[in-house]
Amino acid sequence: RKEVEQDPGPFNVPEGATVAFNCTYSNSASQSFFWYRQDCRKEPKLLMSVYSSGNEDGRFTAQLNRASQYISLLIRDSKLSDSATYLCVVRSDSNYQLIWGAGTKLIIKP
Amino acid sequence: DVKVTQSSRYLVKRTGEKVFLECVQDMDHENMFWYRQDPGLGLRLIYFSYDVKMKEKGDIPEGYSVSREKKERFSLILESASTNQTSMYLCASSSGGASFRVDNEQFFGPGTRLTVL
């Protein structure tokens, strides 16, 4: 089993819709969680950190569920420019390295 | 604006060649990282460095070495390139140093797509 798992998609979503996807992690000792965004043929960029209490940044909401060991990303009122691959990143307590998911591809259609 | 640059966007090499990938950051960051990204696998850490002349193995260091002679520059070396090293190579940097503040944002270069024939 992979340490960090994501549905590869693609998620095809009409513009203006709400979309959500999850990322599961296997190490219950994991401490820090992030969502990075990677546009086609570009480098990853930090989208947001995921805090225990959840956090919101504009149209984006990230949540952490420690009991079920997953994090989620919700995008409201999706825009064409939201089309990208969303990478889930986890840091465990025992290993200071970041573990990267393979990403979920999102395509917003007009 | 923060910037991480990589020496080449595309590189084609032959099996057995020695390959140098260069990465330079202008943010005075202590930490620098080399990853490779392959379809369906996500980013995998090859090596990282938290200070000049310091290096630590990541998850997949076999077949690679690194050099960090200056704070701003982190080089990845493929001693004898093989076809299974065909991949996208991404360099990143972050602040933090030996305190392993790895929760600090990592800034990535544009990547080098290496093809080994």
Side-chain angles (χ1 to χ4, degrees):
Chain A
R1 183 186 171 189
K2 291 181 182 177
E3 290 188 65
V4 176
E5 291 202 70
Q6 297 184 251
D7 184 336
F11 284 52
N12 290 285
V13 174
E15 192 176 7
T18 295
V19 60
F21 29 83
N22 293 339
C23 162
T24 59
Y25 60 94
S26 60
N27 188 342
S28 60
S30 296
Q31 291 296 312
S32 304
F33 309 88
F34 312 90
W35 285 104
Y36 275 71
R37 171 197 168 125
Q38 185 172 24
D39 292 336
C40 187
R41 294 190 176 85
K42 297 281 191 179
E43 70 274 19
K45 293 183 180 179
L46 180 66
L47 178 65
M48 58 199 311
S49 302
V50 187
Y51 306 121
S52 296
S53 56
N55 53 310
E56 189 174 311
D57 183 3
R59 299 181 293 108
F60 297 81
T61 300
Q63 299 218 310
L64 167 64
N65 186 317
R66 283 197 182 274
S68 299
Q69 294 182 207
Y70 72 87
I71 64 172
S72 63
L73 180 66
L74 179 89
I75 306 174
R76 288 181 299 278
D77 186 25
S78 53
K79 312 289 184 193
L80 296 176
S81 57
D82 294 334
S83 296
T85 296
Y86 291 83
L87 306 174
C88 171
V89 189
V90 175
R91 180 178 68 84
S92 71
D93 183 42
S94 59
N95 183 341
Y96 43 74
Q97 294 174 13
L98 298 178
I99 308 298
W100 295 72
T104 295
K105 187 170 185 177
L106 175 65
I107 299 171
I108 306 299
K109 296 186 175 296
Chain B
D1 198 17
V2 298
K3 201 163 185 184
V4 180
T5 56
Q6 295 184 228
S7 49
S8 306
R9 290 301 300 273
Y10 300 94
L11 209 53
V12 179
K13 295 292 182 180
R14 297 209 175 272
T15 301
E17 280 193 80
K18 191 168 186 176
V19 182
F20 292 88
L21 302 182
E22 300 279 329
C23 175
V24 178
Q25 50 95 3
D26 65 359
M27 296 164 280
D28 200 34
H29 282 167
E30 294 86 354
N31 299 329
M32 295 189 75
F33 308 84
W34 274 107
Y35 293 93
R36 62 178 283 177
Q37 185 174 30
D38 300 290
L41 291 180
L43 274 71
R44 291 181 292 166
L45 184 64
I46 304 171
Y47 269 97
F48 67 99
S49 168
Y50 57 85
D51 202 354
V52 175
K53 297 193 185 296
M54 303 302 289
K55 60 185 179 184
E56 296 281 345
K57 292 180 179 179
D59 298 320
I60 51 165
E62 297 78 18
Y64 304 93
S65 62
V66 290
S67 173
R68 190 150 181 219
E69 296 296 319
K70 294 184 177 181
K71 189 176 185 179
E72 67 270 18
R73 189 179 298 269
F74 193 35
S75 302
L76 180 69
I77 302 141
L78 287 66
E79 295 290 341
S80 177
S82 62
T83 54
N84 63 12
Q85 292 178 311
T86 291
S87 187
M88 170 67 82
Y89 289 87
L90 289 162
C91 174
S93 72
S94 71
S95 59
S99 63
F100 291 114
R101 295 274 303 276
V102 292
D103 290 357
N104 291 344
E105 180 179 358
Q106 292 194 9
F107 295 88
F108 285 84
T112 296
R113 185 165 292 282
L114 173 67
T115 301
V116 183
L117 302 175

